[in-house]
Amino acid sequence: ESNSEFGIKNSEFRYRFAMDFNSPELKSGRQNGKRLRKYFIPSMFNISLRKEIITMSKLNKKNVEDLNVKGKKVLVRVDFNVPMKDGKITNDNRITAALPTINKLVENGAKVILCSHLGKPKNGPEEKFSLKAAADRLAELVNTKVVFAKDDKVTGDIAKKDVAEMKDGEIVVLENTRFRGAEETKNGEEFSKELADLTDGIFVMDA
């Protein structure tokens, strides 16, 4: 089966797309002579992509459901930047909006790794900006195991261990990506590589 798998999914919530970063098109860095465009999370894979990403309009379009994700570690960029008060979520619409994509990947046997930012921490990791509450809420909404990787480095030893222990159809929620400061906001290459190394080369944008 070809690794050249791309997908774009429209839903009532927002525009989604998925990519297999092992595809020849992405490795070559160009398609149809068009210059490529960077996106927030895809640029995390720019170590092997020469800092470029294919424009969505040039992708071979498929639904997320068509991707072969069985047994593969898939990074999903979600928007769990939910409003909080006194450590509690006051509106979970952004979490429920991501459920169709998350559930489909789970049903198809993916090992689902979720990443998101929350708020604007200014002094490094701060408990009030942790994604634990979002992970706990997600666990109430899905029918599979959800592990929160309580790792202030986001991709440190704790996260690596939690990802390594995943079974097909399970979910790991990484800690707030903004705990990495400028490395996240400016797409630092080291942080990008660390995120990419957690996966089997498949990325889904759901934010």
Side-chain angles (χ1 to χ4, degrees):
E1 185 173 353
S2 171
N3 280 328
S4 300
E5 297 179 81
F6 303 91
I8 292 178
K9 177 179 178 181
N10 289 295
S11 78
E12 63 181 303
F13 297 111
R14 51 186 175 269
Y15 194 45
R16 298 182 174 95
F17 70 93
M19 294 179 177
D20 185 337
F21 285 85
N22 296 311
S23 70
E25 289 88 349
L26 286 180
K27 285 184 176 180
S28 70
R30 286 182 179 273
Q31 186 179 51
N32 297 331
K34 296 292 185 180
R35 194 68 185 161
L36 306 180
R37 178 180 174 186
K38 290 169 63 177
Y39 293 90
F40 172 66
I41 292 295
S43 67
M44 292 183 182
F45 292 83
N46 62 25
I47 302 300
S48 60
L49 301 184
R50 294 189 246 166
K51 301 185 180 180
E52 295 176 318
I53 268 300
I54 291 175
T55 48
M56 293 170 64
S57 63
K58 296 299 178 182
L59 296 177
N60 298 317
K61 299 178 183 178
K62 291 184 179 181
N63 288 328
V64 170
E65 291 90 334
D66 295 330
L67 296 175
N68 176 20
V69 296
K70 175 67 175 176
K72 296 180 180 179
K73 296 186 288 293
V74 178
L75 180 67
V76 184
R77 164 69 161 101
V78 291
D79 180 5
F80 283 1
N81 189 24
V82 292
M84 306 277 292
K85 184 176 181 179
D86 299 326
K88 298 185 182 298
I89 296 171
T90 59
N91 185 319
D92 67 357
N93 284 350
R94 292 183 176 183
I95 297 174
T96 58
L99 289 177
T101 296
I102 293 171
N103 285 334
K104 178 53 64 175
L105 291 169
V106 167
E107 290 168 11
N108 289 351
K111 299 174 181 178
V112 183
I113 305 165
L114 303 181
C115 66
S116 176
H117 73 266
L118 174 63
K120 297 180 179 179
K122 297 179 180 179
N123 302 306
E126 297 181 60
E127 190 64 29
K128 67 180 180 179
F129 292 116
S130 174
L131 279 176
K132 184 178 187 307
D136 290 345
R137 178 57 181 146
L138 178 65
E140 297 172 350
L141 297 170
V142 296
N143 295 315
T144 190
K145 181 179 180 181
V146 177
V147 172
F148 174 62
K150 180 58 178 173
D151 189 327
D152 287 348
K153 289 187 63 178
V154 185
T155 55
D157 290 341
I158 295 173
K160 290 176 183 176
K161 179 177 182 293
D162 289 339
V163 169
E165 294 176 352
M166 296 178 78
K167 295 181 174 61
D168 294 359
E170 294 184 348
I171 299 169
V172 165
V173 179
L174 300 178
E175 186 54 283
N176 188 345
T177 55
R178 287 192 173 166
F179 281 5
R180 292 290 291 260
E183 289 184 276
E184 188 265 0
T185 57
K186 296 183 179 180
N187 292 324
E189 289 195 358
E190 184 60 32
F191 186 34
S192 301
K193 184 176 185 302
E194 291 169 15
L195 283 162
D197 287 346
L198 293 176
T199 80
D200 287 319
I202 299 177
F203 164 77
V204 175
M205 171 64 91
D206 193 66

